[in-house]
């Protein structure tokens, strides 16, 4: 998949009116991800950067990261999620499946 195809997929998944709006979402979401905050901190940081609500930021993150997850495939996504703080799996469209500390 090319970058342009990915943008079109994000545009479709997020119901963005233009490819430019999808590109903005991709840029902001990936920039925020690069700062590797906790899952909720990531959403709050993204909301602050784009001037939107946490709900809108969560929508943007889910639209972009679920597309990234499909592009990466399950094995690479497992490796990425293993290196991110707790709370990111949901943003990638996956349940957070971590063993509780008391069960360990």
């Amino acid at each position: 998949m090319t970058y342009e195809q990915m943008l079109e997929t994000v545009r479709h998944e997020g119901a963005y009116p233009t490819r430019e709006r999808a590109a903005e979402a991709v840029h902001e979401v990936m920039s925020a991800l690069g700062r590797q905050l906790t899952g909720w901190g990531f959403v709050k940081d993204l909301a602050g950067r784009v001037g939107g609500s946490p709900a809108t930021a969560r929508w943007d993150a889910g639209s972009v990261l679920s597309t990234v997850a499909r592009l990466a495939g399950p094995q690479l996504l497992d490796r990425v999620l293993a290196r991110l703080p707790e709370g990111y799996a949901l943003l990638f469209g996956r349940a957070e499946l971590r063993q509780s500390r008391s069960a360990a």
Side-chain angles (χ1 to χ4, degrees):
M1 179 179 279
T2 67
Y3 179 72
E4 292 300 317
Q5 290 169 320
M6 183 190 84
L7 284 181
E8 186 58 30
T9 301
V10 169
R11 190 195 65 74
H12 176 72
E13 292 284 325
Y16 299 111
T18 64
R19 184 174 284 190
E20 290 75 24
R21 176 61 187 101
E24 289 172 19
V26 168
H27 174 75
E28 292 299 333
V29 168
M30 298 309 287
S31 294
L33 179 64
R35 290 185 291 281
Q36 294 190 19
L37 304 170
T38 63
W40 177 240
F42 170 79
V43 171
K44 288 184 354 186
D45 179 69
L46 182 59
R49 290 182 179 280
V50 300
S53 70
T56 301
R58 171 62 179 91
W59 181 265
D60 289 346
S63 299
V64 173
L65 296 178
S66 64
T67 300
V68 169
R70 283 194 306 279
L71 291 172
Q75 291 176 337
L76 179 55
L77 183 57
D78 287 344
R79 290 173 41 207
V80 169
L81 290 173
R83 288 171 176 78
L84 290 171
E86 222 173 295
Y88 275 88
L90 290 174
L91 296 174
F92 284 90
R94 276 201 182 170
E96 186 77 48
L97 300 175
R98 295 197 184 227
Q99 189 175 26
S100 71
R101 295 186 197 280
S102 61

